[in-house]
Structure formats: structure tokens, C-alpha cells
Amino acid sequence: MTSTDLVLFDQAWARFESWLATQSPADHTALRSPATAAEIAELEKQLGFALHPELRGLLERRNGVAEPEPNSGPEPGVFPAGSILPLGHRLSSTAEIASVHEILVDIGEDNTEVDLWGEDDLAGHLHLCVPFALPNDGGVAFVDHRPGPTYGHVYEMGIGSGDLEGTLWGSSLTEFIRAVTDALETGTPFKHYWPATFEHSSGRTCIKWEIRS
């Protein structure tokens, strides 16, 4: 990647956060402080390879989202503040990324052992897929770290429902964040996920993504 690419990522992320700050302040408040250099270095040590520059850039800005406060559960069918990405995904911290990556490695090894997948299938290379966001249903959003044309692509995989093929959400984190922000600003869908808002009983207004056919 070039320095220009990272500038474009910075711009995309700043635009996304600006929308959150003005339109969904509870979600914006849920964003955690930046990861430290030591936390990022420890994550890369655990992964065994360097982070894609955009993912590193994301962690340098936000180290995931805060955990919901105890006994502050949402109204029925509603996720707590911080579920800012489609399907209710919440940004992961460096510690969460390392933990979930270990799970992906185990799943990938199981798939390799039974030889279910071809050379180009994601499920056979999950050790090179770095998660950055999680919903509450067993899915995962990750950045592909395989060398080659898919390096940096963003995928979502519904592992909890048995989906190991993955769905492309963007050719880069920059593209993905731009598309999500476009959806939020215009009220149009990202894929088939429509942005909406809800008012929690506490008075907070947060993002809710709806699935429409």
C-alpha cells in the first residue's frame, strides 16, 4: 500500500466517525481509545505475521468498542450501543482479535485435514484471516491476509450458521467503511442490510441494521 492509500483510509474513517458523533452519539461513545504500539506488536507476535496497514490503521484509531454495562441489556431484539456495522458487528480489540484468530486457525486446520476445500477457498486459509468485528451470533468479519490479489479484502463469514464460504464486503477496509457510511448517510442498504435507528429506553439513540429481502 502507498501513503496515499492510508490517507484515503483516514479520510473514510474520519467521515464514518463524524456521522456517528452527530447522528448516533451513544455508538460513538462506545468506541474505545486507540490500541497502543505494544498491544499491536503483541497481536502481530501472536498472529505470526504483520497486520495489513489498513487494519493496523483502524486499531491505531480505535481498539474495539466498550463492553455493554452490566444489566443494561437492550430492548427485545435490539443490540446495545456499539453494534455499528452490518449484522450488528462490533469492532474487536487486539485481545479479542488474537482470541478469535486462534478459533479460526483451529477451524481451518480441521477443514484442511478432511480436505474439503480447494486451494483458493477461504476456509482452507483461515489462519491468514484476521477478524476485526463480531456480531453476537457466531459470525465474524475479517481482513484477508493471503498474499496475492485478495490481500486486504474484507469478508463476512457466518461460522455459527455453518457458512464457511464467506461473503465479500469490500476489496479493502477503506471501500467497506465508505460503503457503510454511504448507507448511513443516505438511508440506503449495504448489501441487503438497511440502516435504521432506535431509541433505547434509556433515551440513547443507536444504530440498528435490518435485513430486508
Side-chain angles (χ1 to χ4, degrees), residues 104-201:
L104 293 181
V105 170
D106 289 342
I107 294 172
E109 288 177 348
D110 290 342
N111 287 325
T112 300
E113 288 176 3
V114 296
D115 197 25
L116 288 175
W117 306 95
E119 179 64 26
D120 295 330
D121 291 327
L122 276 172
H125 300 83
L126 292 180
H127 61 294
L128 292 175
C129 297
V130 181
F132 70 91
L134 301 170
N136 72 341
D137 65 354
V140 58
F142 58 81
V143 176
D144 190 349
H145 282 64
R146 291 178 293 173
T150 65
Y151 179 65
H153 284 196
V154 175
Y155 293 90
E156 199 280 333
M157 187 175 282
I159 294 177
S161 61
D163 169 29
L164 292 177
E165 293 187 3
T167 299
L168 181 65
W169 272 10
S171 63
S172 66
L173 266 176
T174 299
E175 180 184 281
F176 170 63
I177 295 300
R178 281 176 177 166
V180 168
T181 309
D182 286 345
L184 291 169
E185 289 178 345
T186 63
T188 55
F190 170 81
K191 306 298 183 181
H192 53 277
Y193 309 113
W194 291 74
T197 58
F198 70 92
E199 185 173 329
H200 188 270
S201 57

Side-chain angles (χ1 to χ4, degrees), residues 54-65:
E54 286 181 323
L55 183 50
R56 170 184 283 272
L58 173 58
L59 291 169
E60 288 173 343
R61 285 149 188 79
R62 296 295 181 178
N63 193 17
V65 297

Side-chain angles (χ1 to χ4, degrees), residues 17-143:
E17 276 212 34
S18 177
W19 189 94
L20 290 179
T22 58
Q23 303 297 324
S24 192
D27 286 315
H28 186 260
T29 300
L31 294 170
R32 297 180 62 194
S33 301
T36 65
E39 287 172 326
I40 293 175
E42 177 61 24
L43 173 58
E44 291 184 324
K45 179 181 177 181
Q46 292 175 293
L47 293 174
F49 52 84
L51 290 169
H52 186 280
E54 286 181 323
L55 183 50
R56 170 184 283 272
L58 173 58
L59 291 169
E60 288 173 343
R61 285 149 188 79
R62 296 295 181 178
N63 193 17
V65 297
E67 291 296 318
E69 296 179 5
N71 303 318
S72 65
E75 297 168 351
V78 174
F79 294 108
S83 302
I84 54 179
L85 300 177
L87 277 176
H89 278 74
R90 302 170 66 83
L91 291 175
S92 300
S93 67
T94 53
E96 290 167 335
I97 290 172
S99 177
V100 176
H101 180 259
E102 288 184 3
I103 296 173
L104 293 181
V105 170
D106 289 342
I107 294 172
E109 288 177 348
D110 290 342
N111 287 325
T112 300
E113 288 176 3
V114 296
D115 197 25
L116 288 175
W117 306 95
E119 179 64 26
D120 295 330
D121 291 327
L122 276 172
H125 300 83
L126 292 180
H127 61 294
L128 292 175
C129 297
V130 181
F132 70 91
L134 301 170
N136 72 341
D137 65 354
V140 58
F142 58 81
V143 176

